[in-house]
Amino acid sequence: MEHLISTGGSVARAMPATGASGRTVSKPTSRRWGAVSSPDPSGVHRKDHDRRMGALELFDRLLGRYGRQDWWPAESDFEMMVGSILVQHTAWGNVSLSLDRLRAEDLLNPGAMAGVEPDRLQHLIRHSGFMKAKARALLGLSAWLVGRGTAGADVEASDDPGLRDQLISLPGIGPETADVIRLYAFDQKCFIWDTYARRLLGELGYDHLGDYEQARRHEEGFIDLDSFGLDDLCEFHGLIVAAGKEAGRQGGWDFLLHE
């Protein structure tokens, strides 16, 4: 598989590109178009003015090329969260096998999963690899959700500013996975600064994108989150992954940069 992310708690880029089964777990809001923020000279800025492209233009170009991706493919918020943990360092096909086994055992809700024996859970998710670490992460997430009063498969939208830190404090959940969960399950608007996004924007002339948190700290130089509705931010991540897969097949990003 191409472009697996090696940092702990990151989400591997192996999701289905289009036509994924299951509903999109995000709760759409209307798009709110507006101007992209001016680049912050102390943060992300464009170093190649011939290639520069703002977030709105990039979104439209990707949407025109790939169509809507309907991300994240899942039947519930909790399944989405489980998938975001299982997909770390593996291909989505392996995750699908694990999700099917969990579904057959009626464990795709935090109330049931929180009470399962670790050895049993490891066996059920063995296709996804790193079974002990991922089982620990799933049990920690389940216990955290139950502690918040959520035993069912879906969660309420949250505007809690401390949600990201709470998620990152859980075992096996790093910054990227936390943001993916915030965006797709809890309806908190954010941009996913995964490896594909950082590579693409580097090709577009943006710098200061060395790692996930560095890019996120300087994101105002690229994107104004208020210019996008929640559903489009969900789509943006899926579209960038589709572009990243094509870049891997073609050996670079020229197909997108010179359209």
Side-chain angles (χ1 to χ4, degrees), residues 5-11 81 84-85 88-89 133 137 141 163-182 190 192-193 212-213 216:
I5 298 174
S6 59
T7 55
S10 301
V11 179
M81 290 186 264
S84 74
I85 290 173
Q88 295 170 15
H89 315 301
L141 174 66
L163 179 63
R164 188 175 195 264
D165 288 340
Q166 293 176 45
L167 288 166
I168 291 175
S169 74
L170 298 176
I173 296 182
E176 182 182 338
T177 304
D179 284 344
V180 166
I181 290 173
R182 288 199 302 132
C190 59
I192 307 302
W193 286 98
Y212 190 95
E213 289 292 72
R216 180 178 176 271

PDB file of all heavy atoms in Angstrom, residues 5-11 81 84-85 88-89 133 137 141 163-182 190 192-193 212-213 216:
ATOM      1  N   ILE A   5       1.088   6.149   6.881  1.00  0.00           N
ATOM      2  CA  ILE A   5       1.595   7.159   7.801  1.00  0.00           C
ATOM      3  C   ILE A   5       2.234   6.437   8.977  1.00  0.00           C
ATOM      4  O   ILE A   5       1.635   5.547   9.562  1.00  0.00           O
ATOM      5  CB  ILE A   5       0.457   8.075   8.270  1.00  0.00           C
ATOM      6  CG1 ILE A   5      -0.128   8.798   7.053  1.00  0.00           C
ATOM      7  CG2 ILE A   5       0.928   9.044   9.318  1.00  0.00           C
ATOM      8  CD1 ILE A   5      -1.335   9.602   7.364  1.00  0.00           C
ATOM      9  N   SER A   6       3.435   6.811   9.349  1.00  0.00           N
ATOM     10  CA  SER A   6       4.179   6.046  10.328  1.00  0.00           C
ATOM     11  C   SER A   6       4.094   6.606  11.737  1.00  0.00           C
ATOM     12  O   SER A   6       4.532   5.963  12.667  1.00  0.00           O
ATOM     13  CB  SER A   6       5.659   5.992   9.925  1.00  0.00           C
ATOM     14  OG  SER A   6       6.204   7.288   9.822  1.00  0.00           O
ATOM     15  N   THR A   7       3.531   7.779  11.924  1.00  0.00           N
ATOM     16  CA  THR A   7       3.455   8.339  13.260  1.00  0.00           C
ATOM     17  C   THR A   7       2.325   7.710  14.030  1.00  0.00           C
ATOM     18  O   THR A   7       1.293   7.351  13.490  1.00  0.00           O
ATOM     19  CB  THR A   7       3.231   9.857  13.202  1.00  0.00           C
ATOM     20  OG1 THR A   7       2.073  10.129  12.430  1.00  0.00           O
ATOM     21  CG2 THR A   7       4.425  10.554  12.602  1.00  0.00           C
ATOM     22  N   GLY A   8       2.494   7.575  15.341  1.00  0.00           N
ATOM     23  CA  GLY A   8       1.478   6.940  16.162  1.00  0.00           C
ATOM     24  C   GLY A   8       0.169   7.675  16.116  1.00  0.00           C
ATOM     25  O   GLY A   8       0.112   8.884  16.231  1.00  0.00           O
ATOM     26  N   GLY A   9      -0.920   6.918  15.992  1.00  0.00           N
ATOM     27  CA  GLY A   9      -2.241   7.511  16.004  1.00  0.00           C
ATOM     28  C   GLY A   9      -2.647   8.155  14.709  1.00  0.00           C
ATOM     29  O   GLY A   9      -3.672   8.814  14.637  1.00  0.00           O
ATOM     30  N   SER A  10      -1.890   7.982  13.640  1.00  0.00           N
ATOM     31  CA  SER A  10      -2.254   8.566  12.360  1.00  0.00           C
ATOM     32  C   SER A  10      -3.134   7.618  11.581  1.00  0.00           C
ATOM     33  O   SER A  10      -3.167   6.428  11.828  1.00  0.00           O
ATOM     34  CB  SER A  10      -0.999   8.877  11.538  1.00  0.00           C
ATOM     35  OG  SER A  10      -0.164   9.766  12.231  1.00  0.00           O
ATOM     36  N   VAL A  11      -3.846   8.162  10.618  1.00  0.00           N
ATOM     37  CA  VAL A  11      -4.760   7.366   9.828  1.00  0.00           C
ATOM     38  C   VAL A  11      -4.117   7.024   8.502  1.00  0.00           C
ATOM     39  O   VAL A  11      -3.677   7.901   7.782  1.00  0.00           O
ATOM     40  CB  VAL A  11      -6.072   8.136   9.582  1.00  0.00           C
ATOM     41  CG1 VAL A  11      -7.018   7.303   8.737  1.00  0.00           C
ATOM     42  CG2 VAL A  11      -6.741   8.477  10.908  1.00  0.00           C
ATOM     43  N   MET A  81     -15.546   5.838  14.036  1.00  0.00           N
ATOM     44  CA  MET A  81     -14.445   5.985  14.981  1.00  0.00           C
ATOM     45  C   MET A  81     -13.608   4.714  15.050  1.00  0.00           C
ATOM     46  O   MET A  81     -12.366   4.771  15.074  1.00  0.00           O
ATOM     47  CB  MET A  81     -14.988   6.365  16.360  1.00  0.00           C
ATOM     48  CG  MET A  81     -15.541   7.774  16.433  1.00  0.00           C
ATOM     49  SD  MET A  81     -16.029   8.268  18.107  1.00  0.00           S
ATOM     50  CE  MET A  81     -17.782   7.903  18.048  1.00  0.00           C
ATOM     51  N   SER A  84     -11.417   4.498  12.055  1.00  0.00           N
ATOM     52  CA  SER A  84     -10.292   5.437  12.064  1.00  0.00           C
ATOM     53  C   SER A  84      -9.127   4.915  12.889  1.00  0.00           C
ATOM     54  O   SER A  84      -7.972   5.293  12.661  1.00  0.00           O
ATOM     55  CB  SER A  84     -10.745   6.804  12.596  1.00  0.00           C
ATOM     56  OG  SER A  84     -10.953   6.777  14.006  1.00  0.00           O
ATOM     57  N   ILE A  85      -9.410   4.047  13.843  1.00  0.00           N
ATOM     58  CA  ILE A  85      -8.347   3.420  14.634  1.00  0.00           C
ATOM     59  C   ILE A  85      -7.802   2.189  13.910  1.00  0.00           C
ATOM     60  O   ILE A  85      -6.593   2.001  13.785  1.00  0.00           O
ATOM     61  CB  ILE A  85      -8.868   3.046  16.035  1.00  0.00           C
ATOM     62  CG1 ILE A  85      -9.105   4.323  16.852  1.00  0.00           C
ATOM     63  CG2 ILE A  85      -7.897   2.114  16.760  1.00  0.00           C
ATOM     64  CD1 ILE A  85      -9.785   4.100  18.188  1.00  0.00           C
ATOM     65  N   GLN A  88      -5.150   2.510  10.907  1.00  0.00           N
ATOM     66  CA  GLN A  88      -3.776   2.941  11.130  1.00  0.00           C
ATOM     67  C   GLN A  88      -2.811   1.849  10.669  1.00  0.00           C
ATOM     68  O   GLN A  88      -2.864   0.713  11.137  1.00  0.00           O
ATOM     69  CB  GLN A  88      -3.555   3.265  12.604  1.00  0.00           C
ATOM     70  CG  GLN A  88      -4.367   4.449  13.099  1.00  0.00           C
ATOM     71  CD  GLN A  88      -4.315   4.607  14.607  1.00  0.00           C
ATOM     72  OE1 GLN A  88      -3.469   4.027  15.269  1.00  0.00           O
ATOM     73  NE2 GLN A  88      -5.221   5.401  15.159  1.00  0.00           N
ATOM     74  N   HIS A  89      -1.948   2.206   9.718  1.00  0.00           N
ATOM     75  CA  HIS A  89      -0.876   1.337   9.230  1.00  0.00           C
ATOM     76  C   HIS A  89      -1.375   0.069   8.546  1.00  0.00           C
ATOM     77  O   HIS A  89      -0.713  -0.971   8.608  1.00  0.00           O
ATOM     78  CB  HIS A  89       0.069   0.956  10.384  1.00  0.00           C
ATOM     79  CG  HIS A  89       0.448   2.118  11.249  1.00  0.00           C
ATOM     80  ND1 HIS A  89       1.088   3.227  10.761  1.00  0.00           N
ATOM     81  CD2 HIS A  89       0.251   2.349  12.569  1.00  0.00           C
ATOM     82  CE1 HIS A  89       1.277   4.084  11.752  1.00  0.00           C
ATOM     83  NE2 HIS A  89       0.774   3.582  12.839  1.00  0.00           N
ATOM     84  N   ALA A 133      -2.384  -3.220  20.431  1.00  0.00           N
ATOM     85  CA  ALA A 133      -2.455  -1.762  20.535  1.00  0.00           C
ATOM     86  C   ALA A 133      -3.822  -1.243  20.097  1.00  0.00           C
ATOM     87  O   ALA A 133      -4.395  -0.347  20.727  1.00  0.00           O
ATOM     88  CB  ALA A 133      -1.349  -1.122  19.701  1.00  0.00           C
ATOM     89  N   ALA A 137      -6.755   0.675  22.215  1.00  0.00           N
ATOM     90  CA  ALA A 137      -7.311   1.956  21.786  1.00  0.00           C
ATOM     91  C   ALA A 137      -8.833   1.896  21.703  1.00  0.00           C
ATOM     92  O   ALA A 137      -9.531   2.828  22.125  1.00  0.00           O
ATOM     93  CB  ALA A 137      -6.719   2.355  20.436  1.00  0.00           C
ATOM     94  N   LEU A 141     -11.403   4.107  23.916  1.00  0.00           N
ATOM     95  CA  LEU A 141     -12.399   4.970  23.285  1.00  0.00           C
ATOM     96  C   LEU A 141     -13.800   4.612  23.758  1.00  0.00           C
ATOM     97  O   LEU A 141     -14.608   5.503  24.078  1.00  0.00           O
ATOM     98  CB  LEU A 141     -12.310   4.837  21.766  1.00  0.00           C
ATOM     99  CG  LEU A 141     -13.372   5.576  20.953  1.00  0.00           C
ATOM    100  CD1 LEU A 141     -13.215   7.084  21.098  1.00  0.00           C
ATOM    101  CD2 LEU A 141     -13.297   5.167  19.479  1.00  0.00           C
ATOM    102  N   LEU A 163     -12.578  18.968  23.222  1.00  0.00           N
ATOM    103  CA  LEU A 163     -12.771  17.621  22.692  1.00  0.00           C
ATOM    104  C   LEU A 163     -11.495  17.057  22.083  1.00  0.00           C
ATOM    105  O   LEU A 163     -11.152  15.888  22.297  1.00  0.00           O
ATOM    106  CB  LEU A 163     -13.894  17.634  21.652  1.00  0.00           C
ATOM    107  CG  LEU A 163     -14.199  16.291  20.978  1.00  0.00           C
ATOM    108  CD1 LEU A 163     -14.696  15.271  21.985  1.00  0.00           C
ATOM    109  CD2 LEU A 163     -15.230  16.482  19.851  1.00  0.00           C
ATOM    110  N   ARG A 164     -10.785  17.858  21.326  1.00  0.00           N
ATOM    111  CA  ARG A 164      -9.569  17.362  20.665  1.00  0.00           C
ATOM    112  C   ARG A 164      -8.548  16.860  21.689  1.00  0.00           C
ATOM    113  O   ARG A 164      -7.983  15.777  21.541  1.00  0.00           O
ATOM    114  CB  ARG A 164      -8.957  18.461  19.799  1.00  0.00           C
ATOM    115  CG  ARG A 164      -7.796  18.001  18.927  1.00  0.00           C
ATOM    116  CD  ARG A 164      -7.330  19.139  18.015  1.00  0.00           C
ATOM    117  NE  ARG A 164      -6.489  18.638  16.942  1.00  0.00           N
ATOM    118  CZ  ARG A 164      -5.158  18.638  16.987  1.00  0.00           C
ATOM    119  NH1 ARG A 164      -4.527  19.100  18.069  1.00  0.00           N
ATOM    120  NH2 ARG A 164      -4.455  18.175  15.970  1.00  0.00           N
ATOM    121  N   ASP A 165      -8.321  17.651  22.724  1.00  0.00           N
ATOM    122  CA  ASP A 165      -7.363  17.243  23.742  1.00  0.00           C
ATOM    123  C   ASP A 165      -7.821  15.979  24.464  1.00  0.00           C
ATOM    124  O   ASP A 165      -6.994  15.125  24.816  1.00  0.00           O
ATOM    125  CB  ASP A 165      -7.144  18.370  24.748  1.00  0.00           C
ATOM    126  CG  ASP A 165      -6.340  19.531  24.169  1.00  0.00           C
ATOM    127  OD1 ASP A 165      -5.640  19.326  23.157  1.00  0.00           O
ATOM    128  OD2 ASP A 165      -6.415  20.634  24.735  1.00  0.00           O
ATOM    129  N   GLN A 166      -9.108  15.862  24.696  1.00  0.00           N
ATOM    130  CA  GLN A 166      -9.620  14.652  25.337  1.00  0.00           C
ATOM    131  C   GLN A 166      -9.361  13.425  24.471  1.00  0.00           C
ATOM    132  O   GLN A 166      -8.941  12.375  24.975  1.00  0.00           O
ATOM    133  CB  GLN A 166     -11.118  14.791  25.601  1.00  0.00           C
ATOM    134  CG  GLN A 166     -11.491  15.840  26.622  1.00  0.00           C
ATOM    135  CD  GLN A 166     -12.991  15.995  26.755  1.00  0.00           C
ATOM    136  OE1 GLN A 166     -13.735  15.017  26.825  1.00  0.00           O
ATOM    137  NE2 GLN A 166     -13.456  17.232  26.776  1.00  0.00           N
ATOM    138  N   LEU A 167      -9.596  13.547  23.184  1.00  0.00           N
ATOM    139  CA  LEU A 167      -9.365  12.419  22.281  1.00  0.00           C
ATOM    140  C   LEU A 167      -7.887  12.063  22.220  1.00  0.00           C
ATOM    141  O   LEU A 167      -7.518  10.876  22.278  1.00  0.00           O
ATOM    142  CB  LEU A 167      -9.893  12.751  20.886  1.00  0.00           C
ATOM    143  CG  LEU A 167     -11.416  12.777  20.731  1.00  0.00           C
ATOM    144  CD1 LEU A 167     -11.802  13.436  19.412  1.00  0.00           C
ATOM    145  CD2 LEU A 167     -11.996  11.371  20.825  1.00  0.00           C
ATOM    146  N   ILE A 168      -7.026  13.062  22.120  1.00  0.00           N
ATOM    147  CA  ILE A 168      -5.593  12.803  22.028  1.00  0.00           C
ATOM    148  C   ILE A 168      -5.065  12.156  23.305  1.00  0.00           C
ATOM    149  O   ILE A 168      -4.077  11.404  23.270  1.00  0.00           O
ATOM    150  CB  ILE A 168      -4.838  14.104  21.702  1.00  0.00           C
ATOM    151  CG1 ILE A 168      -5.155  14.551  20.270  1.00  0.00           C
ATOM    152  CG2 ILE A 168      -3.329  13.950  21.875  1.00  0.00           C
ATOM    153  CD1 ILE A 168      -4.559  15.886  19.887  1.00  0.00           C
ATOM    154  N   SER A 169      -5.721  12.390  24.417  1.00  0.00           N
ATOM    155  CA  SER A 169      -5.283  11.785  25.681  1.00  0.00           C
ATOM    156  C   SER A 169      -5.587  10.289  25.748  1.00  0.00           C
ATOM    157  O   SER A 169      -5.047   9.589  26.610  1.00  0.00           O
ATOM    158  CB  SER A 169      -5.951  12.495  26.861  1.00  0.00           C
ATOM    159  OG  SER A 169      -7.333  12.143  26.967  1.00  0.00           O
ATOM    160  N   LEU A 170      -6.419   9.792  24.837  1.00  0.00           N
ATOM    161  CA  LEU A 170      -6.779   8.375  24.835  1.00  0.00           C
ATOM    162  C   LEU A 170      -5.676   7.565  24.164  1.00  0.00           C
ATOM    163  O   LEU A 170      -4.988   8.054  23.277  1.00  0.00           O
ATOM    164  CB  LEU A 170      -8.104   8.170  24.097  1.00  0.00           C
ATOM    165  CG  LEU A 170      -9.320   8.867  24.696  1.00  0.00           C
ATOM    166  CD1 LEU A 170     -10.543   8.664  23.796  1.00  0.00           C
ATOM    167  CD2 LEU A 170      -9.611   8.354  26.104  1.00  0.00           C
ATOM    168  N   PRO A 171      -5.502   6.312  24.567  1.00  0.00           N
ATOM    169  CA  PRO A 171      -4.454   5.489  23.955  1.00  0.00           C
ATOM    170  C   PRO A 171      -4.714   5.252  22.471  1.00  0.00           C
ATOM    171  O   PRO A 171      -5.845   5.017  22.059  1.00  0.00           O
ATOM    172  CB  PRO A 171      -4.521   4.172  24.742  1.00  0.00           C
ATOM    173  CG  PRO A 171      -5.899   4.147  25.329  1.00  0.00           C
ATOM    174  CD  PRO A 171      -6.252   5.583  25.607  1.00  0.00           C
ATOM    175  N   GLY A 172      -3.658   5.359  21.666  1.00  0.00           N
ATOM    176  CA  GLY A 172      -3.761   5.044  20.248  1.00  0.00           C
ATOM    177  C   GLY A 172      -4.411   6.092  19.380  1.00  0.00           C
ATOM    178  O   GLY A 172      -4.652   5.852  18.201  1.00  0.00           O
ATOM    179  N   ILE A 173      -4.705   7.266  19.931  1.00  0.00           N
ATOM    180  CA  ILE A 173      -5.322   8.334  19.150  1.00  0.00           C
ATOM    181  C   ILE A 173      -4.383   9.525  19.128  1.00  0.00           C
ATOM    182  O   ILE A 173      -4.140  10.175  20.143  1.00  0.00           O
ATOM    183  CB  ILE A 173      -6.696   8.737  19.719  1.00  0.00           C
ATOM    184  CG1 ILE A 173      -7.669   7.563  19.614  1.00  0.00           C
ATOM    185  CG2 ILE A 173      -7.250   9.956  18.988  1.00  0.00           C
ATOM    186  CD1 ILE A 173      -9.061   7.858  20.110  1.00  0.00           C
ATOM    187  N   GLY A 174      -3.827   9.798  17.956  1.00  0.00           N
ATOM    188  CA  GLY A 174      -2.956  10.945  17.767  1.00  0.00           C
ATOM    189  C   GLY A 174      -3.714  12.114  17.174  1.00  0.00           C
ATOM    190  O   GLY A 174      -4.944  12.070  17.002  1.00  0.00           O
ATOM    191  N   PRO A 175      -3.015  13.184  16.817  1.00  0.00           N
ATOM    192  CA  PRO A 175      -3.679  14.391  16.318  1.00  0.00           C
ATOM    193  C   PRO A 175      -4.534  14.168  15.089  1.00  0.00           C
ATOM    194  O   PRO A 175      -5.652  14.694  14.999  1.00  0.00           O
ATOM    195  CB  PRO A 175      -2.505  15.326  16.016  1.00  0.00           C
ATOM    196  CG  PRO A 175      -1.423  14.889  16.944  1.00  0.00           C
ATOM    197  CD  PRO A 175      -1.559  13.404  17.026  1.00  0.00           C
ATOM    198  N   GLU A 176      -4.037  13.403  14.112  1.00  0.00           N
ATOM    199  CA  GLU A 176      -4.828  13.211  12.899  1.00  0.00           C
ATOM    200  C   GLU A 176      -6.092  12.405  13.166  1.00  0.00           C
ATOM    201  O   GLU A 176      -7.188  12.769  12.724  1.00  0.00           O
ATOM    202  CB  GLU A 176      -4.004  12.523  11.813  1.00  0.00           C
ATOM    203  CG  GLU A 176      -4.777  12.353  10.505  1.00  0.00           C
ATOM    204  CD  GLU A 176      -3.984  11.640   9.433  1.00  0.00           C
ATOM    205  OE1 GLU A 176      -2.742  11.633   9.500  1.00  0.00           O
ATOM    206  OE2 GLU A 176      -4.612  11.099   8.510  1.00  0.00           O
ATOM    207  N   THR A 177      -5.946  11.306  13.892  1.00  0.00           N
ATOM    208  CA  THR A 177      -7.124  10.491  14.206  1.00  0.00           C
ATOM    209  C   THR A 177      -8.130  11.297  15.021  1.00  0.00           C
ATOM    210  O   THR A 177      -9.338  11.196  14.805  1.00  0.00           O
ATOM    211  CB  THR A 177      -6.709   9.227  14.968  1.00  0.00           C
ATOM    212  OG1 THR A 177      -5.743   8.504  14.199  1.00  0.00           O
ATOM    213  CG2 THR A 177      -7.908   8.320  15.213  1.00  0.00           C
ATOM    214  N   ALA A 178      -7.639  12.106  15.963  1.00  0.00           N
ATOM    215  CA  ALA A 178      -8.532  12.945  16.760  1.00  0.00           C
ATOM    216  C   ALA A 178      -9.308  13.909  15.873  1.00  0.00           C
ATOM    217  O   ALA A 178     -10.526  14.094  16.039  1.00  0.00           O
ATOM    218  CB  ALA A 178      -7.738  13.707  17.817  1.00  0.00           C
ATOM    219  N   ASP A 179      -8.629  14.518  14.909  1.00  0.00           N
ATOM    220  CA  ASP A 179      -9.315  15.461  14.025  1.00  0.00           C
ATOM    221  C   ASP A 179     -10.309  14.758  13.113  1.00  0.00           C
ATOM    222  O   ASP A 179     -11.399  15.285  12.841  1.00  0.00           O
ATOM    223  CB  ASP A 179      -8.292  16.236  13.194  1.00  0.00           C
ATOM    224  CG  ASP A 179      -7.588  17.323  13.997  1.00  0.00           C
ATOM    225  OD1 ASP A 179      -8.094  17.687  15.079  1.00  0.00           O
ATOM    226  OD2 ASP A 179      -6.535  17.804  13.537  1.00  0.00           O
ATOM    227  N   VAL A 180      -9.963  13.582  12.628  1.00  0.00           N
ATOM    228  CA  VAL A 180     -10.890  12.819  11.802  1.00  0.00           C
ATOM    229  C   VAL A 180     -12.149  12.494  12.596  1.00  0.00           C
ATOM    230  O   VAL A 180     -13.282  12.626  12.098  1.00  0.00           O
ATOM    231  CB  VAL A 180     -10.205  11.538  11.277  1.00  0.00           C
ATOM    232  CG1 VAL A 180     -11.233  10.572  10.700  1.00  0.00           C
ATOM    233  CG2 VAL A 180      -9.169  11.869  10.220  1.00  0.00           C
ATOM    234  N   ILE A 181     -11.984  12.071  13.840  1.00  0.00           N
ATOM    235  CA  ILE A 181     -13.137  11.762  14.682  1.00  0.00           C
ATOM    236  C   ILE A 181     -13.948  13.019  14.971  1.00  0.00           C
ATOM    237  O   ILE A 181     -15.191  13.015  14.933  1.00  0.00           O
ATOM    238  CB  ILE A 181     -12.679  11.088  15.986  1.00  0.00           C
ATOM    239  CG1 ILE A 181     -12.153   9.673  15.695  1.00  0.00           C
ATOM    240  CG2 ILE A 181     -13.825  11.026  17.004  1.00  0.00           C
ATOM    241  CD1 ILE A 181     -11.530   8.977  16.889  1.00  0.00           C
ATOM    242  N   ARG A 182     -13.268  14.122  15.260  1.00  0.00           N
ATOM    243  CA  ARG A 182     -13.984  15.383  15.501  1.00  0.00           C
ATOM    244  C   ARG A 182     -14.823  15.778  14.298  1.00  0.00           C
ATOM    245  O   ARG A 182     -15.976  16.201  14.436  1.00  0.00           O
ATOM    246  CB  ARG A 182     -12.994  16.515  15.795  1.00  0.00           C
ATOM    247  CG  ARG A 182     -12.319  16.465  17.130  1.00  0.00           C
ATOM    248  CD  ARG A 182     -11.745  17.817  17.502  1.00  0.00           C
ATOM    249  NE  ARG A 182     -10.796  18.331  16.536  1.00  0.00           N
ATOM    250  CZ  ARG A 182     -10.831  19.571  16.044  1.00  0.00           C
ATOM    251  NH1 ARG A 182     -11.786  20.416  16.380  1.00  0.00           N
ATOM    252  NH2 ARG A 182      -9.897  19.978  15.197  1.00  0.00           N
ATOM    253  N   CYS A 190     -12.916  21.093  10.828  1.00  0.00           N
ATOM    254  CA  CYS A 190     -11.461  21.162  10.821  1.00  0.00           C
ATOM    255  C   CYS A 190     -10.971  20.658   9.467  1.00  0.00           C
ATOM    256  O   CYS A 190     -11.719  20.025   8.717  1.00  0.00           O
ATOM    257  CB  CYS A 190     -10.838  20.347  11.965  1.00  0.00           C
ATOM    258  SG  CYS A 190     -11.247  18.590  11.973  1.00  0.00           S
ATOM    259  N   ILE A 192      -8.117  18.266   7.584  1.00  0.00           N
ATOM    260  CA  ILE A 192      -7.266  17.136   7.911  1.00  0.00           C
ATOM    261  C   ILE A 192      -5.922  17.291   7.202  1.00  0.00           C
ATOM    262  O   ILE A 192      -5.833  17.185   5.980  1.00  0.00           O
ATOM    263  CB  ILE A 192      -7.937  15.804   7.514  1.00  0.00           C
ATOM    264  CG1 ILE A 192      -9.347  15.703   8.125  1.00  0.00           C
ATOM    265  CG2 ILE A 192      -7.067  14.624   7.948  1.00  0.00           C
ATOM    266  CD1 ILE A 192      -9.386  15.796   9.637  1.00  0.00           C
ATOM    267  N   TRP A 193      -4.882  17.524   7.989  1.00  0.00           N
ATOM    268  CA  TRP A 193      -3.547  17.784   7.455  1.00  0.00           C
ATOM    269  C   TRP A 193      -2.755  16.491   7.320  1.00  0.00           C
ATOM    270  O   TRP A 193      -1.631  16.378   7.810  1.00  0.00           O
ATOM    271  CB  TRP A 193      -2.809  18.775   8.341  1.00  0.00           C
ATOM    272  CG  TRP A 193      -3.310  20.175   8.205  1.00  0.00           C
ATOM    273  CD1 TRP A 193      -4.187  20.834   9.012  1.00  0.00           C
ATOM    274  CD2 TRP A 193      -2.947  21.093   7.181  1.00  0.00           C
ATOM    275  NE1 TRP A 193      -4.403  22.102   8.550  1.00  0.00           N
ATOM    276  CE2 TRP A 193      -3.644  22.293   7.420  1.00  0.00           C
ATOM    277  CE3 TRP A 193      -2.096  21.018   6.069  1.00  0.00           C
ATOM    278  CZ2 TRP A 193      -3.528  23.408   6.606  1.00  0.00           C
ATOM    279  CZ3 TRP A 193      -1.972  22.121   5.251  1.00  0.00           C
ATOM    280  CH2 TRP A 193      -2.676  23.302   5.522  1.00  0.00           C
ATOM    281  N   TYR A 212       2.205  17.113  11.009  1.00  0.00           N
ATOM    282  CA  TYR A 212       0.767  17.378  11.118  1.00  0.00           C
ATOM    283  C   TYR A 212       0.480  18.607  11.981  1.00  0.00           C
ATOM    284  O   TYR A 212      -0.243  19.523  11.572  1.00  0.00           O
ATOM    285  CB  TYR A 212       0.055  16.152  11.702  1.00  0.00           C
ATOM    286  CG  TYR A 212      -1.448  16.250  11.616  1.00  0.00           C
ATOM    287  CD1 TYR A 212      -2.124  15.678  10.549  1.00  0.00           C
ATOM    288  CD2 TYR A 212      -2.183  16.939  12.574  1.00  0.00           C
ATOM    289  CE1 TYR A 212      -3.507  15.787  10.444  1.00  0.00           C
ATOM    290  CE2 TYR A 212      -3.560  17.054  12.474  1.00  0.00           C
ATOM    291  CZ  TYR A 212      -4.221  16.473  11.403  1.00  0.00           C
ATOM    292  OH  TYR A 212      -5.581  16.596  11.306  1.00  0.00           O
ATOM    293  N   GLU A 213       1.053  18.633  13.178  1.00  0.00           N
ATOM    294  CA  GLU A 213       0.733  19.728  14.092  1.00  0.00           C
ATOM    295  C   GLU A 213       1.307  21.058  13.627  1.00  0.00           C
ATOM    296  O   GLU A 213       0.687  22.100  13.823  1.00  0.00           O
ATOM    297  CB  GLU A 213       1.242  19.393  15.495  1.00  0.00           C
ATOM    298  CG  GLU A 213       0.432  18.290  16.181  1.00  0.00           C
ATOM    299  CD  GLU A 213      -0.981  18.731  16.515  1.00  0.00           C
ATOM    300  OE1 GLU A 213      -1.794  18.864  15.572  1.00  0.00           O
ATOM    301  OE2 GLU A 213      -1.282  18.944  17.704  1.00  0.00           O
ATOM    302  N   ARG A 216      -1.050  22.301  10.976  1.00  0.00           N
ATOM    303  CA  ARG A 216      -2.317  22.722  11.589  1.00  0.00           C
ATOM    304  C   ARG A 216      -2.175  24.081  12.281  1.00  0.00           C
ATOM    305  O   ARG A 216      -3.074  24.925  12.199  1.00  0.00           O
ATOM    306  CB  ARG A 216      -2.788  21.672  12.592  1.00  0.00           C
ATOM    307  CG  ARG A 216      -4.090  22.011  13.288  1.00  0.00           C
ATOM    308  CD  ARG A 216      -4.524  20.907  14.246  1.00  0.00           C
ATOM    309  NE  ARG A 216      -5.728  21.280  14.972  1.00  0.00           N
ATOM    310  CZ  ARG A 216      -5.729  21.944  16.131  1.00  0.00           C
ATOM    311  NH1 ARG A 216      -4.571  22.290  16.692  1.00  0.00           N
ATOM    312  NH2 ARG A 216      -6.853  22.264  16.725  1.00  0.00           N
TER     313      ARG A 216
END
